[in-house]
Amino acid sequence: MDALDDANRRNRLDGIDRVIAAGSRSTEWNDLLIAPPPWYVDGKFGIFIHWGVYSVPAFGSEWYPRNMYRVGTPEYDHHRATYGDQQVFGYKDFVPMFRAERFDPNEWARIFSRSGARFVVPVAEHHDGFAMYKTALSRWNAADQGPQRDVVGELAEAVRAQGLTFGVSSHRAEHWFFFNGGRSFPSDVDDPGALDLYGPAAREETQPTTAFLEDWLVRTCELVDRHRPELVWFDWWIEQPAFEPYLRRFAAYYYTRAEEWGQHVAINYKFDAFKPGTAIFDVERGQLAGIRPEFWQTDTSVSTTSWSHVEPQHWKRPLDLLGDLMDIVSKNGALLLNIGPKADGTIPAEEVALLETIGSWLAVNGEAVYGTRPWIVPGEGPTAVAEGEFTDTQRQAFTDRDIRFTTARGDLFATVLGPVTGTEIQIRSLGSDLSLLPTDIQRVDLVGPNRPKLTYRRDPDALRVEVPDEASRDLPISFRIRPERPAIRDRVKHLLAD
């Protein structure tokens, strides 16, 4: 049975309330305002990790545990053909098969460091209810079953040893309904010995009970206390009305704990689950059309197929991911890029190569990314960026006329998103007839360690920069533009304040 009985839950809830009462924050929204941490606003790029029991079947997506119980889905048919009847072989039976025998957290952390990422966020618990960390609140966790290792704890130590910031994600809210398909036909979802894994399995349109919400709060606070993450990422279902007071209690607890520990922390949310200014807005697999005054984030995956490892997998190109990164950063955002390790704990070679390509590019062009802020306009070019979630595969490929601007230390950076086809780049936003840059240009450089000075001319309709032979033709190119009067950032601050 579930370790979180009524007495245990009540004791833990009382402890949460005592921490809040002793702190400087109440549970009212106006007392939960928080500034985005400097590590986040300056870091811009992080790694997300979807890895769990669902990596064993490696079919469809990380929603395999739900869909294998939904009659008529490909997962349902695949499961019966491959593993047998769901009453005989259910999702719980994948747990012993999830051995993670080749999981090396130090190697993972080295890969993430080479990618140029500044923060790392593994999924601590997905909708399936299997915790990837040691917990006293459920026997269904990676330290006691499957790998028999505290995956999140080991990864936290390895990531921090590389100088990266560590966060976690919680998708437990959706556990309320996740396995409800297994109630529509004979399956092990009704097995009395596994009810603590499969959970309520209630209808999606119902609101969670008080017991479920209290359980969610206690588990999430325990996760914070065990691993002291500097970022807690929440998936979409927390915007349900019943969660609202529990979100406020969690934020008050987490922010109070962070103040005790001297940490700069943040919470991610989607839609309108949190009030503006109390957490960081996140857009899943999508972007924004323009600059958002408040810092925000996109979470997306290296693949178009799934968040977790599946076979076959379809990966995005480094060119497209770097273009998305620069588009997001130019609009005051950060990119949380997901990978999906295999069940044995190895990261697919294709994903390692992709991350290393990104890292090599950032090693040269990071000056246009890290520590930057948006300019007066995010950019220019013919390729439209659709706004909103699940739009990451809807736009056309960026061209060499698609340019994004960032600024730092008085310099303006212009990054060409598409592969360069000619010998000259035209930046129309910087034409001398426009008021966006009302000062002469001192010099234009190619961003990088050697910083070669480039030939350019400024016409009324565009700044025209000659592309040197050493510039990349396959990945984005970043130019540093140094104005005579470095007043760019002051103008941007004024613009965003308005």
Side-chain angles (χ1 to χ4, degrees):
M1 294 299 292
D2 192 348
L4 195 61
D5 56 32
D6 288 342
N8 191 355
R9 182 187 301 113
R10 179 52 50 199
N11 288 337
R12 289 177 178 269
L13 288 168
D14 289 344
I16 291 169
D17 290 338
R18 284 194 298 271
V19 168
I20 296 171
S24 61
R25 298 175 181 271
S26 74
T27 58
E28 297 301 317
W29 285 122
N30 60 8
D31 209 16
L32 296 173
L33 298 172
I34 190 167
W39 63 259
Y40 206 175
V41 180
D42 291 338
K44 308 295 185 187
F45 176 48
I47 298 296
F48 207 5
I49 310 166
H50 275 68
W51 187 47
V53 177
Y54 43 80
S55 304
V56 175
F59 182 88
S61 75
E62 69 287 347
W63 279 55
Y64 184 93
R66 172 167 171 79
N67 292 330
M68 64 174 275
Y69 293 106
R70 300 180 71 194
V71 178
T73 65
E75 290 85 351
Y76 176 91
D77 295 336
H78 171 82
H79 189 84
R80 293 179 78 85
T82 308
Y83 304 104
D85 190 296
Q86 286 88 336
Q87 194 170 20
V88 178
F89 190 106
Y91 186 65
K92 70 179 186 305
D93 299 298
F94 285 118
V95 172
M97 301 169 65
F98 180 47
R99 294 186 292 272
E101 62 272 20
R102 299 176 66 187
F103 171 52
D104 183 346
N106 293 309
E107 176 60 18
W108 281 25
R110 288 190 289 268
I111 291 170
F112 302 152
S113 181
R114 293 198 302 269
S115 78
R118 293 293 188 260
F119 51 100
V120 176
V121 183
V123 171
E125 181 181 340
H126 206 252
H127 315 322
D128 62 350
F130 187 84
M132 294 292 288
Y133 59 96
K134 184 174 181 59
T135 172
L137 305 177
S138 172
R139 64 190 173 104
W140 298 99
N141 70 83
D144 293 334
Q145 298 197 51
Q148 297 187 10
R149 296 173 66 176
D150 183 354
V151 169
V152 170
E154 291 185 33
L155 193 56
E157 182 177 353
V159 162
R160 286 168 170 151
Q162 289 290 328
L164 307 179
T165 300
F166 186 75
V168 294
S169 79
S170 170
H171 310 239
R172 185 168 180 80
E174 293 87 343
H175 192 60
W176 170 256
F177 63 81
F178 201 59
F179 287 103
N180 61 13
R183 295 276 167 81
S184 65
F185 67 98
S187 79
D188 71 327
V189 171
D190 288 323
D191 179 353
L195 295 181
D196 52 342
L197 173 64
Y198 295 127
R203 299 199 318 270
E204 299 98 306
E205 61 269 23
T206 61
Q207 290 293 294
T209 61
T210 297
F212 180 86
L213 292 162
E214 290 178 345
D215 175 274
W216 174 90
L217 178 63
V218 167
R219 288 173 187 255
T220 313
C221 290
E222 185 213 34
L223 177 60
V224 163
D225 286 336
R226 280 189 181 274
H227 300 296
R228 300 190 179 187
E230 285 149 294
L231 182 66
V232 175
W233 185 100
F234 287 125
D235 208 355
W236 57 283
W237 215 63
I238 60 168
E239 81 273 4
Q240 296 299 311
F243 273 95
E244 196 266 356
Y246 295 89
L247 296 179
R248 289 189 280 112
R249 285 172 76 182
F250 172 72
Y253 182 85
Y254 182 37
Y255 294 161
T256 297
R257 280 298 204 207
E259 290 172 359
E260 292 176 11
W261 300 330
Q263 289 183 325
H264 297 283
V265 303
I267 296 171
N268 288 147
Y269 74 97
K270 298 177 181 178
F271 304 112
D272 59 354
F274 279 75
K275 298 296 183 185
T278 63
I280 307 298
F281 180 62
D282 179 273
V283 181
E284 180 175 352
R285 285 192 180 271
Q287 291 156 230
L288 299 182
I291 296 172
R292 190 174 193 266
E294 299 82 20
F295 181 69
W296 63 284
Q297 178 178 271
T298 286
D299 68 288
T300 194
S301 184
V302 296
S303 72
T304 61
T305 319
S306 168
W307 292 87
S308 66
H309 174 69
V310 295
E311 297 178 358
Q313 187 74 284
H314 300 286
W315 289 282
K316 298 176 181 177
R317 301 184 301 171
L319 174 67
D320 297 327
L321 289 169
L322 286 168
D324 287 343
L325 171 65
M326 294 311 301
D327 179 73
I328 291 161
V329 171
S330 75
K331 297 169 182 175
N332 204 28
L335 172 63
L336 183 61
L337 181 63
N338 178 78
I339 62 165
K342 297 179 181 180
D344 66 0
T346 58
I347 301 173
E350 295 86 349
E351 299 187 11
V352 173
L354 193 156
L355 292 181
E356 289 183 340
T357 299
I358 293 173
S360 295
W361 186 88
L362 284 168
V364 174
N365 297 278
E367 187 181 2
V369 182
Y370 305 122
T372 62
R373 298 295 183 268
W375 194 48
I376 299 164
V377 294
E380 63 182 53
T383 305
V385 175
E387 180 161 309
E389 63 276 359
F390 301 106
T391 59
D392 62 334
T393 59
Q394 293 183 14
R395 67 163 175 80
Q396 298 296 314
F398 286 125
T399 72
D400 59 4
R401 291 186 293 155
D402 293 300
I403 298 169
R404 294 297 181 269
F405 301 116
T406 53
T407 180
R409 300 166 293 279
D411 292 331
L412 175 63
F413 299 95
T415 301
V416 181
L417 304 187
V420 176
T421 58
T423 60
E424 180 184 87
I425 293 296
Q426 300 179 15
I427 308 176
R428 299 194 175 278
S429 298
L430 302 183
S432 59
D433 274 2
L434 297 178
S435 61
L436 293 178
L437 189 62
T439 181
D440 291 337
I441 293 174
Q442 187 181 112
R443 62 181 288 164
V444 178
D445 306 321
L446 195 65
V447 172
N450 298 323
R451 206 186 292 282
K453 186 176 181 180
L454 304 180
T455 301
Y456 67 92
R457 71 182 190 277
R458 195 181 189 193
D459 295 340
D461 62 336
L463 172 65
R464 303 173 189 275
V465 183
E466 185 177 310
V467 180
D469 293 339
E470 63 265 33
S472 169
R473 298 283 170 165
D474 301 318
L475 296 175
I477 300 175
S478 293
F479 300 111
R480 185 188 70 157
I481 300 157
R482 171 151 290 179
E484 290 285 356
R485 293 187 292 108
I488 300 171
R489 288 186 65 182
D490 291 339
R491 296 187 66 204
V492 174
K493 289 177 182 177
H494 178 70
L495 176 73
L496 294 180
D498 289 345

